[in-house]
Structure formats: structure tokens, C-alpha cells
Amino acid sequence: MAIDPIVYTTCWPVRHYELDRNGHVNNAVYLNYAEQLTTEHAELAGFGADWSAARGGWWVVHRTIATYHRPAVYGDLLELTVRVELVQGTRGIRRTTIKRAQDGEPIAEVLTEWVWVRTSDGRPVRAPEELVEVAREATAETLRRHPGYLADLRRASALPTQPQRPR
């Protein structure tokens, strides 16, 4: 493998078209950053599109939890780091941290749950054993630090998005 398959860091400049009308990077752009960084990491680590196609599947985003700390603006250089936290069953979980490179100030954090799906029908299936093995130590460390990790993730994302109306 060309790079570490668990952690990858790179820097990107904030571009003008990523800004909202307040001159800040639009919140949705951080989700784009997380997905692009994950794709770049997978390709460089040897687990990209060709590798996935040869195994009859691919990753799709199932759930994302974003935390915004402060805005980034045009001209900021951002340091983005993606870390594989878990590969187990059908799931892969990655955490993307985004900091301003100039001073290390945290900008955003994006936790993304991916699901491995079969190419033939788009149904979730177990992630390839090779990926599970590569991430074994990272998965064990995540679960050692936080035994209720998956349950907490499910609970956090199960919050209703709209108030329920009485029938």
C-alpha cells in the first residue's frame, strides 16, 4: 500500500465558490470535504474504485454527524485528517477533522458511517475480510475506548428531525 490505510492528512485551500452569502464555507461543503477526502484516502491506500469493483461492492454513506466549531473563510488553508475508526460487519466508520492549518483552530468534525453494498443489487453485505483485517487494530481501539460506540451512534442519529404530530 502506498500510504497508511487508517489515517490520512492533507491540506486544501478554501475556494471562493465554497462560501455562503456570509463569506463562510457553507456547512454542506464540509460534508463534501469528508467524502472527497475519504475517496482520495481509499484510492491512495489501494482500496479505491477498482479494488471495490473487483470485490463486487462499494461503500455508500448511510449516516453523517457533523459538528461545526467555527467558520472557515476564503484564503484559509485547511488541514483535513480522516481516520478509520471501525470496520465491522457491513459498516465502516470514519472521522474527519478539519482545522485551520495556520493556527490549528478546529473548524469542523464529520463522523460518517458507510455501508458496504453489493454491486449487483445494492444490498448491504459484510465488508471484505481484507478491509476488516486492515482495520482490526483501529476497530479494537475504538471499541476499547468506547464500548458503547455503535449503540451511541445509533441513538445519536435516531433523534427525530421533526416534531411528531398527534394523530
Side-chain angles (χ1 to χ4, degrees), residues 9 13 20 87 105 112 155 159:
T9 300
D20 61 21
V87 177
E105 284 293 320
T112 308
R155 225 180 347 269
L159 298 173

Side-chain angles (χ1 to χ4, degrees), residues 72-159:
V73 297
Y74 182 72
D76 281 346
L77 181 64
L78 301 178
E79 178 184 287
L80 300 97
T81 300
V82 63
R83 175 180 303 277
V84 174
E85 292 198 345
L86 180 136
V87 177
Q88 186 178 73
T90 63
R91 289 186 174 90
I93 298 176
R94 291 174 173 256
R95 182 179 305 273
T96 301
T97 55
I98 304 168
K99 299 184 222 175
R100 197 167 40 232
Q102 297 93 313
D103 56 13
E105 284 293 320
I107 300 295
E109 186 173 316
V110 181
L111 185 71
T112 308
E113 180 182 0
W114 298 78
V115 174
W116 183 261
V117 298
R118 203 171 25 226
T119 304
S120 62
D121 61 7
R123 303 278 307 175
V125 294
R126 290 177 103 32
E129 188 56 36
E130 184 179 351
L131 286 177
V132 173
E133 187 55 40
V134 165
R136 189 168 307 285
E137 285 183 41
T139 298
E141 177 59 25
T142 296
L143 295 176
R144 202 172 17 257
R145 278 186 292 112
H146 192 108
Y149 187 81
L150 289 174
D152 288 351
L153 181 62
R154 279 191 292 274
R155 225 180 347 269
S157 61
L159 298 173

